[in-house]
Amino acid sequence: PPHNSRSLPLLTSTICKYLLGFILSSWIVCLYLMSTLIGCSQQNASIATSDLLLRSTSVKDATIPVQSTCQVEYNRIISQQTPGLTPQDLLRSRALIGNQYRLEKVMETLSSRERPVVAVVAGGSISLGHGLANPDQHRYSNRLENWMNEMYPLSPESTTNQDNNKGQQRHKVINVASHGADSCSMAKRLNVMYSDLESKLPPSSDEPDLIILEFAVNDYEGQDHLVQVRYQASVFFDGFMDITLCSEVVIHSLLTRYKNTAIMFLEMQTAILPRKTGALLHMGVATHYQIPVISYAETLFHGFAE
């Protein structure tokens, strides 16, 4: 396959806050990243690496468990979790675990605090923060950037880059979203995006660490927002295969261009609950290429109608 197919264990906990949605706001990507770093949740500590497994100390014939470094980090992250989100909510967000090798590398870079992590958000008006009173503060790309810098600030030694601009290096999220964009519009402008990103990457990076694709809403009937779309009975529609092909073109191109970049689908949902999304067509592509899929819709809208 065009990406590293190293087999990784299923990780049992998504940690931290959820992403900001079309109307509701919370986090969700810094979350999924955490699950690639931390495999020592109370549900299944056995998948953590041997040096992070829980240790025990005997005191007067009693065995007292000692928290591992991994568990301490887990507790630190979940202390910032959005109130009200349950473990079941977090599990539902992980629509497809996929191959987490590249995501694991993102978390290793964040944890080392030696260089800034660069993420890219590509999507439509949701990723632009349409409808928010203060998009620059509340859209999920900005919140993800703030979260990375608050939870994993760079070490003092790493904040001086090659140009000696001390203190200027920070983890960064580059937002390349545009109103009405779908997978086909991104497929058509991939070369433009590649050229644009080259000028925005810091000296320490020659490719992004993470790319988040948010096209679920616009990929359903492409950019068709007519009222009758809401009442269609089938998730399949004229042009379904074309959009699926565009989605695969995007994934294959990104994996080929960026040999180490982690890629994930972020499946959003509008407040018009009967309206379907393109999540199903993404799942086929994601399964083939083992791309992780995060579902905001399954997390926050599960049982909402009831």
Side-chain angles (χ1 to χ4, degrees):
H3 68 304
N4 195 314
S5 58
R6 168 184 169 188
S7 176
L8 294 176
L10 289 178
L11 302 174
T12 59
S13 56
T14 304
I15 309 154
C16 92
K17 293 185 179 178
Y18 263 63
L19 281 172
L20 167 63
F22 189 69
I23 293 178
L24 303 176
S25 64
S26 52
W27 285 353
I28 199 183
V29 174
C30 44
L31 35 134
Y32 201 98
L33 293 178
M34 293 300 91
S35 70
T36 67
L37 169 69
I38 302 170
C40 60
S41 72
Q42 296 177 352
Q43 296 174 326
N44 187 359
S46 64
I47 63 176
T49 52
S50 58
D51 60 318
L52 296 180
L53 291 175
L54 292 176
R55 300 181 299 276
S56 297
T57 302
S58 296
V59 179
K60 294 182 178 180
D61 299 326
T63 301
I64 301 175
V66 178
Q67 285 191 332
S68 67
T69 302
C70 181
Q71 189 68 45
V72 170
E73 179 68 354
Y74 176 90
N75 293 338
R76 182 178 79 93
I77 297 301
I78 63 173
S79 68
Q80 302 295 319
Q81 182 174 297
T82 300
L85 289 176
T86 67
Q88 290 73 28
D89 292 331
L90 298 175
L91 286 174
R92 277 197 303 273
S93 75
R94 302 166 67 191
L96 179 66
I97 299 219
N99 188 324
Q100 294 198 335
Y101 178 77
R102 295 188 182 198
L103 282 174
E104 186 179 65
K105 295 303 180 184
V106 176
M107 282 311 307
E108 288 179 2
T109 302
L110 266 180
S111 302
S112 71
R113 310 190 187 204
E114 295 177 353
R115 70 164 179 84
V117 164
V118 180
V120 175
V121 166
S125 57
I126 291 177
S127 293
L128 285 176
H130 177 72
L132 295 175
N134 188 345
D136 290 339
Q137 179 179 354
H138 295 302
R139 61 187 165 205
Y140 71 83
S141 57
N142 296 71
R143 297 185 69 177
L144 174 60
E145 179 176 295
N146 291 336
W147 180 86
M148 289 192 297
N149 284 292
E150 290 171 4
M151 300 302 289
Y152 291 94
L154 295 173
S155 63
E157 295 78 11
S158 67
T159 55
T160 301
N161 64 22
Q162 297 175 357
D163 298 323
N164 295 319
N165 293 325
K166 188 173 183 179
Q168 296 302 306
Q169 288 207 114
R170 286 169 46 88
H171 303 304
K172 183 178 183 180
V173 176
I174 302 172
N175 195 325
V176 298
S178 60
H179 287 288
D182 60 9
S183 292
C184 286
S185 65
M186 182 173 183
K188 295 174 183 177
R189 62 188 181 98
L190 279 169
N191 288 334
V192 174
M193 186 191 75
Y194 294 148
S195 178
D196 185 46
L197 288 179
E198 286 181 2
S199 64
K200 294 180 178 179
L201 292 174
S204 57
S205 303
D206 55 5
E207 61 182 25
D209 295 281
L210 170 67
I211 296 178
I212 301 167
L213 303 175
E214 177 273 304
F215 292 115
V217 173
N218 290 345
D219 273 355
Y220 187 76
E221 285 290 356
Q223 300 179 41
D224 187 354
H225 294 279
L226 298 178
V227 173
Q228 59 262 33
V229 172
R230 306 175 192 171
Y231 304 104
Q232 290 184 342
S234 174
V235 295
F236 298 101
F237 51 87
D238 292 340
F240 183 95
M241 292 303 297
D242 293 336
I243 295 289
T244 303
L245 178 59
C246 288
S247 182
E248 180 168 14
V249 167
V250 169
I251 293 299
H252 187 275
S253 178
L254 291 175
L255 291 172
T256 303
R257 174 85 177 201
Y258 299 127
K259 303 299 184 182
N260 302 295
T261 301
I263 301 167
M264 64 168 61
F265 283 108
L266 170 62
E267 309 295 27
M268 304 298 278
Q269 170 73 51
T270 73
I272 306 172
L273 295 184
R275 182 175 179 180
K276 299 176 177 64
T277 72
L280 177 63
L281 66 87
H282 295 162
M283 187 60 74
V285 176
T287 301
H288 179 74
Y289 290 96
Q290 285 297 289
I291 302 298
V293 179
I294 298 175
S295 178
Y296 168 91
E298 287 298 319
T299 303
L300 292 185
F301 287 91
H302 180 78
F304 183 79
E306 290 77 13

